[in-house]
Amino acid sequence: MRDKPNYDCIIVGGGPAGLAASVYLARLNRHVIVVDEGNSRASLIPRSYNHPAFPDGVPGQVLLDRMHDQAARFGVEYLAARADLLERVGDSFQCKVAGRLLRSRAVIGATGLVDVLPPWPNAKELVRNGNLRLCPICDGYEINGEPVVVIGNNRRAMKEAAFLLSFTDDVTVATLGAEPEGQTPADIRPPIRLLTARLARHEPVPEDRMALEFLGGVAMKAVAVYSALGCMPQSLLAQAIGVKLDEEGRIPTDQHQRTGVRFFYAIGDVVTGLNQLGVAMAQGEIAAVTAHNDLSEAFGNA
């Protein structure tokens, strides 16, 4: 590429990881743009009580709004669109977004992942309202000994059920009619129970709970419900430029968030299995400083 790139770094993904990286890069006097289609998992968080400095908790969208404002104050550009194409050209990258062709020396992938939810039309709304849960690390504390249902039919669901025993001794794994994978009723250790009946009805009830009714007559009036159906890392853009993914489709990195492709860094849920706000933001900070230093070493201040 003969022309000088118009950005030092393109950040693909505007969740907590990408926005944290953008603030650090901007404060290192780097010209940076965030490309984001607006589907951050953080926007679905009803209220996080784990995040430091928010003793009363903070809704995910509120946190994102504050981070957007912070990034804008330091001159970070924001493009609300999907990145359709990313490719390496010479010693730079080019990214096609909403008819524009962005060029940069470095790219930080903060594309996150998508949770597999139960096949309910209102599943995403239930997550946003706190009735359908995705992370027992995040909100298991609020269960306070009450009954829990984990939706899933594989070892992931069983592991999540076992983890939830830290907060309650009333845990049911509901397969919604699917056959258990790699498990038999004999493998289920009390107090965990296995329920394989199909679901007849579900509806939200107060206090972030749900009422469930299964075929065969089993009914639960107010339970905390977790989906353990897995997730899909959004890593195709990285794979297209030669990044080798792990067996789960996530992006392996070193301790400085570098990937196997020079000047391409990865952060947040697309990288790690510990999907926490603080982890994602820390990775964004690390990647930003690493990218700044790598660019300075390779190109000076040009």
Side-chain angles (χ1 to χ4, degrees):
M1 187 177 293
R2 296 178 180 177
D3 298 331
K4 179 181 176 181
N6 47 358
Y7 293 99
D8 292 309
C9 186
I10 298 169
I11 299 174
V12 184
L19 291 172
S22 76
V23 169
Y24 269 63
L25 281 168
R27 288 178 53 80
L28 291 167
N29 290 320
R30 291 292 181 180
H31 191 196
V32 58
I33 184 169
V34 174
V35 177
D36 179 48
E37 60 180 326
N39 291 324
S40 171
R41 293 175 80 229
S43 67
L44 297 177
I45 298 173
R47 185 173 293 270
S48 172
Y49 292 94
N50 278 357
H51 198 55
F54 290 93
D56 296 320
V58 57
Q61 190 59 56
V62 171
L63 183 66
L64 288 173
D65 291 344
R66 291 188 178 190
M67 295 184 75
H68 275 289
D69 180 61
Q70 185 178 14
R73 293 186 187 199
F74 294 111
V76 173
E77 294 184 46
Y78 182 83
L79 184 54
R82 179 184 178 86
D84 296 315
L85 175 70
L86 178 65
E87 56 186 349
R88 192 74 187 265
V89 180
D91 60 358
S92 301
F93 296 89
Q94 62 183 25
C95 185
K96 185 179 293 185
V97 185
R100 292 177 57 184
L101 194 61
L102 311 178
R103 294 175 296 168
S104 70
R105 295 289 194 193
V107 172
I108 296 178
T111 45
L113 54 80
V114 174
D115 294 286
V116 179
L117 300 179
W120 306 335
N122 62 340
K124 187 172 287 189
E125 189 66 21
L126 290 171
V127 174
R128 185 177 285 111
N129 292 336
N131 302 101
L132 181 60
R133 301 159 179 245
L134 301 173
C135 175
I137 296 174
C138 305
D139 52 26
Y141 183 85
E142 278 68 47
I143 290 173
N144 195 29
E146 295 181 18
V148 173
V149 171
V150 177
I151 295 174
N153 68 319
N154 55 22
R155 292 188 182 278
R156 176 191 179 97
M158 299 304 171
K159 287 181 64 176
E160 190 153 308
F163 184 86
L164 282 160
L165 294 176
S166 300
F167 310 106
T168 180
D169 59 2
D170 190 344
V171 181
T172 300
V173 175
T175 71
L176 305 188
E179 287 296 319
E181 295 180 2
Q183 302 282 335
T184 68
D187 296 322
I188 310 303
R189 301 288 182 89
I192 298 173
R193 296 177 296 278
L194 180 65
L195 179 61
T196 60
R198 292 182 180 275
L199 187 67
R201 184 181 64 89
H202 71 281
E203 65 177 72
V205 296
E207 304 299 330
D208 298 337
R209 300 298 192 259
M210 292 188 66
L212 305 177
E213 184 177 326
F214 296 85
L215 297 180
V218 176
M220 303 175 181
K221 293 183 178 180
V223 291
V225 179
Y226 284 86
S227 176
L229 296 173
C231 56
M232 299 179 294
Q234 303 300 285
S235 51
L236 292 182
L237 282 178
Q239 188 176 41
I241 59 169
V243 174
K244 294 184 178 180
L245 310 179
D246 68 14
E247 63 277 4
E248 294 183 340
R250 296 179 188 262
I251 302 174
T253 69
D254 68 8
Q255 61 183 338
H256 300 288
Q257 308 307 134
R258 297 184 183 98
T259 70
V261 173
R262 194 179 187 205
F263 300 121
F264 182 86
Y265 310 84
I267 58 179
D269 293 350
V270 75
V271 172
T272 178
L274 185 59
N275 304 324
Q276 296 290 295
L277 294 171
V279 174
M281 293 164 71
Q283 289 177 344
E285 296 159 6
I286 292 168
V289 175
T290 302
H292 171 75
N293 290 337
D294 289 350
L295 291 172
S296 295
E297 182 177 343
F299 304 106
N301 294 320

